[in-house]
Amino acid sequence: MGSHAYRIATGPLRTGLLALVAALTVMACAGLGRAQDPAPMVPSPEAAGVSQLVTAAGLADWGRAHQDPGALIMAARIVGEVPLRNQGDQLPFLTFDSLLTEAEEMAAGQPAYLAAIEQLRGQVTRGVVSSPFGRGPIATVKDVRARETFGFDVDARGGEILRIAAIGDGDTNIDLIVRDAEGRLLCQDGFGDHYPVCTLMPQLAGKVRVSVVNRGAIWTKVQILSN
């Protein structure tokens, strides 16, 4: 990537594999007297919030596939901790209230789940659920037509983790691509789901180009998140 070096990680599977490789490398070098690598950069609270929302999207997707209201309830709890700085005319659709409403419909006739939903709603109303995610990620909702790519630029800060996610409404698969100002690929998440995420850390400040790609034959609503 020329003079611009980046650390790149995409998707939970790839992140896990990279972590395993890193751990094995450290173990192999432990007896060679080499200096340890610097401590990894800690993501900002807002970047951590993006990851938490992606986790919630995956859990909710699993709950729908298995008709498990408990998974949707847990996803609502996860989302409820993360505030959002909403931009644009459309409101986010992956929300605490929307997930609990979905769980409530799925749990019809199951008193234990319905009681848990009522209790959780009461806790949030009283402010019991607090957020460790600062001001929260920036959120923008866009309608992306079939086979369309929605692109935008982000000002990346040098030496800081940048995390971007695109959570679709589930109608179709979504890909996420990030390139630098010269068009070089920095990150691509196209694992065939509708909640791709990219994490990178540019050494120098500058613009990066983000592309959200609708791979399906119908339009979809996408909730775009970044720190």
Side-chain angles (χ1 to χ4, degrees), residues 1 3-4 6 152-156 162 177-187 200 202 204-210:
M1 291 184 289
S3 61
H4 293 78
Y6 292 81
F152 60 98
D153 292 331
V154 171
D155 291 316
L162 172 63
I177 302 169
V178 182
R179 299 181 182 273
D180 66 13
E182 285 73 41
R184 291 170 294 198
L185 180 66
L186 303 179
C187 173
L200 53 150
L204 301 175
K207 288 188 180 295
V208 296
R209 182 68 175 174
V210 180

Side-chain angles (χ1 to χ4, degrees), residues 54-213:
V54 172
T55 298
L59 180 58
D61 200 36
W62 185 92
R64 295 180 189 109
H66 292 80
Q67 286 295 294
D68 187 337
L72 290 167
I73 293 170
M74 179 58 69
R77 291 184 60 186
I78 293 172
V79 170
E81 290 186 340
V82 185
L84 292 176
R85 289 175 284 160
N86 189 50
Q87 297 182 347
D89 299 329
Q90 299 192 60
L91 296 176
F93 55 84
L94 183 73
T95 65
F96 172 82
D97 287 329
S98 68
L99 288 168
L100 278 192
T101 297
E102 192 175 353
E104 192 171 34
E105 294 171 354
M106 191 180 293
Q110 301 181 66
Y113 284 127
L114 295 174
I117 292 168
E118 183 178 359
Q119 181 181 19
L120 185 56
R121 278 190 173 131
Q123 288 176 344
V124 172
T125 299
R126 294 192 299 271
V128 174
V129 177
S130 61
S131 172
F133 299 109
R135 297 178 300 160
I138 297 170
T140 305
V141 177
K142 293 292 182 180
D143 295 333
V144 185
R145 292 178 295 182
R147 314 295 183 188
E148 183 183 60
T149 297
F150 171 72
F152 60 98
D153 292 331
V154 171
D155 291 316
R157 293 187 288 270
E160 294 186 21
I161 289 175
L162 172 63
R163 185 163 291 148
I164 304 167
I167 299 175
D169 61 11
D171 289 337
T172 184
N173 292 339
I174 299 294
D175 285 3
L176 186 64
I177 302 169
V178 182
R179 299 181 182 273
D180 66 13
E182 285 73 41
R184 291 170 294 198
L185 180 66
L186 303 179
C187 173
Q188 182 170 1
D189 186 346
F191 290 115
D193 56 35
H194 59 270
Y195 36 89
V197 60
C198 277
T199 301
L200 53 150
M201 190 181 72
Q203 291 187 350
L204 301 175
K207 288 188 180 295
V208 296
R209 182 68 175 174
V210 180
S211 297
V212 178
V213 186

